[in-house]
Amino acid sequence: MGKRVVLHVGLMKSGTTYLQSLMEANHELLLEQGVLFPTPWAVQTRGVSEFLELPLQRFPGAWEKLRDRILEHDGTSVVSMEYLGPAKVELIRRLRDELPGCDVQAVITIRDLGRGIPAMWQETIKNRRSWGWTEYLEAISARGPKPTEAGAQFWRQQGFGRAVARWAEGLGAANVTVITIPQPGAPQTVLWDRFSEVAGIAPGDFAPPARSNTSLGLHSTLLMRLLNERTEDLTRDQYRHRYKALSKHTLGAHAREEAKLGFAVPAWLRRRTEKEIELVRKSGVRVVGDLAELTPVDTDGIEPSAVSDAAVLDAAVHALDVLLREGEDAYLPEARRTGDGGTHPWEPGKKRVGKGGGMGRGQGGGQGGGQGGGRGRRGQGAQAGSEDASDD
């Protein structure tokens, strides 16, 4: 069996977390088919970050370790990391050259920009930005030689036509496949069916994904934007381990109780989408799905300006309530919560004494819960953000 490497390079907010989590949860079944999905998924995040030399995410030796695992596997290896999407042609070619003897192929998943813009704005807020919604839209739609930071970042991550053209130039069009994300209403499994076909994964009794990266509700998004304006003194890791972890695992779970961000597709976005689709056509890459699925669609919901202060306060009270009840668990996904912190150890009608009681730091009770509980809890707090690197 020859060595084949399938690089799933994003784009962001195109079902990447769904695919990554599904493959991670079923990596043993995949290996039985001869398909390696390196786990834990963090090894892919760190390896790709090191290869790309990202300034804030350096993990010395991580790329070499990931590459060695791929080269040692006699079969298909799948690496899924959306940091690769915006890579320049020179980096793409260097990545190919660092995998000698392998048939290197790229898979690019793309969602329509009508749904992508609201999702990306909420994602930027979840990653410490504080751009307003109107400000963000103006930055994306602006034309000129000097785009704003928000506009440049969006099109670097979501300009799918140029991304496809770069990967086609770097690997050859025959080695690049575009998978379109179905329009609203289609079963989520359609994406997996399309991806597994391209990756050469046979049907099987696969377990559902264990994690997701759903967008925040609008109330929580506005709450996080306010909090972000107060966090300039925090390091990147401090923010990720507390604020971002809380937004993902506590506020994210509240999204169904909140209003959704609405977006009516403007004429300029339809014109831009047509140009992006034409770049994909000209690239000559394979398309699985239909480029018509990239036609932008409206997103039902309301404008941020229509959200009351009371609604934002409700989101804040929810977060505080969960934090006090759950302690450190508020920063963790449901599957990793232990029930050891917050109010869980308390027996009804009895005083809480001993470890973590009173004003102690041990279990997130008293003063220690809300602000990380001093140094004693720093290690567990660090784990809270360890799986979040793909969102940065």
Side-chain angles (χ1 to χ4, degrees), residues 172-191:
N175 296 311
V176 179
T177 300
V178 162
I179 298 177
T180 58
I181 305 302
Q183 294 278 308
Q188 191 176 36
T189 52
V190 172
L191 174 57

Side-chain angles (χ1 to χ4, degrees), residues 237-256:
D237 282 346
Q238 286 173 329
Y239 180 86
R240 288 180 63 240
H241 297 161
R242 293 300 183 188
Y243 289 75
K244 182 175 178 178
L246 187 71
S247 72
K248 278 179 66 68
H249 305 307
T250 289
L251 290 175
H254 197 242
R256 293 184 179 180

Side-chain angles (χ1 to χ4, degrees), residues 87-151:
K88 296 181 178 180
V89 174
E90 310 84 67
L91 269 177
I92 294 170
R93 288 174 174 163
R94 182 161 69 86
L95 179 57
R96 176 199 60 194
D97 293 344
E98 293 212 16
L99 297 168
C102 297
D103 176 16
V104 180
Q105 301 177 4
V107 176
I108 307 175
T109 48
I110 305 174
R111 179 165 70 160
D112 76 271
L113 293 172
R115 290 179 291 170
I117 288 176
M120 286 299 293
W121 177 64
Q122 291 170 313
E123 195 68 21
T124 66
I125 300 300
K126 203 158 59 176
N127 284 282
R128 207 176 184 177
R129 299 294 190 176
S130 56
W131 295 312
W133 172 236
T134 301
E135 176 188 9
Y136 192 68
L137 289 179
E138 290 175 349
I140 293 172
S141 62
R143 301 177 63 181
K146 294 184 178 181
T148 64
E149 182 183 5

Side-chain angles (χ1 to χ4, degrees), residues 88-360:
K88 296 181 178 180
V89 174
E90 310 84 67
L91 269 177
I92 294 170
R93 288 174 174 163
R94 182 161 69 86
L95 179 57
R96 176 199 60 194
D97 293 344
E98 293 212 16
L99 297 168
C102 297
D103 176 16
V104 180
Q105 301 177 4
V107 176
I108 307 175
T109 48
I110 305 174
R111 179 165 70 160
D112 76 271
L113 293 172
R115 290 179 291 170
I117 288 176
M120 286 299 293
W121 177 64
Q122 291 170 313
E123 195 68 21
T124 66
I125 300 300
K126 203 158 59 176
N127 284 282
R128 207 176 184 177
R129 299 294 190 176
S130 56
W131 295 312
W133 172 236
T134 301
E135 176 188 9
Y136 192 68
L137 289 179
E138 290 175 349
I140 293 172
S141 62
R143 301 177 63 181
K146 294 184 178 181
T148 64
E149 182 183 5
Q153 176 178 299
F154 177 85
W155 289 114
R156 184 172 63 252
Q157 296 170 338
Q158 294 292 305
F160 60 83
R162 292 183 181 180
V164 170
R166 287 193 304 270
W167 280 92
E169 183 178 351
L171 296 182
N175 296 311
V176 179
T177 300
V178 162
I179 298 177
T180 58
I181 305 302
Q183 294 278 308
Q188 191 176 36
T189 52
V190 172
L191 174 57
W192 172 245
D193 293 341
R194 293 176 179 179
F195 182 86
S196 57
E197 179 214 331
V198 174
I201 298 171
D205 187 17
F206 295 117
R211 59 186 174 90
S212 63
N213 186 29
T214 55
S215 295
L216 293 174
L218 183 52
H219 308 165
S220 291
T221 302
L222 297 176
L223 171 63
M224 287 303 302
R225 181 170 177 260
L226 292 173
L227 289 172
N228 289 348
E229 294 175 343
R230 296 169 174 257
T231 64
E232 292 183 0
D233 60 315
L234 300 182
T235 67
R236 177 179 178 277
D237 282 346
Q238 286 173 329
Y239 180 86
R240 288 180 63 240
H241 297 161
R242 293 300 183 188
Y243 289 75
K244 182 175 178 178
L246 187 71
S247 72
K248 278 179 66 68
H249 305 307
T250 289
L251 290 175
H254 197 242
R256 293 184 179 180
E257 309 298 323
E258 302 180 15
K260 292 181 59 177
L261 173 63
F263 180 55
V265 177
W268 67 262
L269 183 59
R270 297 190 186 280
R271 293 192 297 269
R272 177 65 184 256
T273 296
E274 290 173 0
K275 293 179 180 178
E276 297 287 335
I277 291 176
E278 186 58 27
L279 286 173
V280 176
R281 287 198 183 100
K282 288 182 177 180
S283 71
V285 305
R286 177 192 180 194
V287 175
V288 174
D290 192 331
L291 290 178
E293 292 178 322
L294 301 182
T295 301
V297 296
D298 294 344
T299 301
D300 293 334
I302 64 174
E303 289 280 325
S305 59
V307 176
S308 67
D309 291 344
V312 178
L313 176 61
D314 181 69
V317 170
H318 164 74
L320 181 60
D321 181 49
V322 174
L323 184 59
L324 294 174
R325 289 175 181 273
E326 304 293 337
E328 292 289 336
D329 279 355
Y331 304 111
L332 298 171
E334 190 70 32
R336 291 175 54 196
R337 295 187 175 185
T338 65
D340 292 336
T343 62
H344 295 299
W346 298 11
E347 293 184 27
K350 292 186 179 182
K351 288 186 176 181
R352 189 182 186 199
V353 294
K355 186 177 181 181
M359 304 296 283

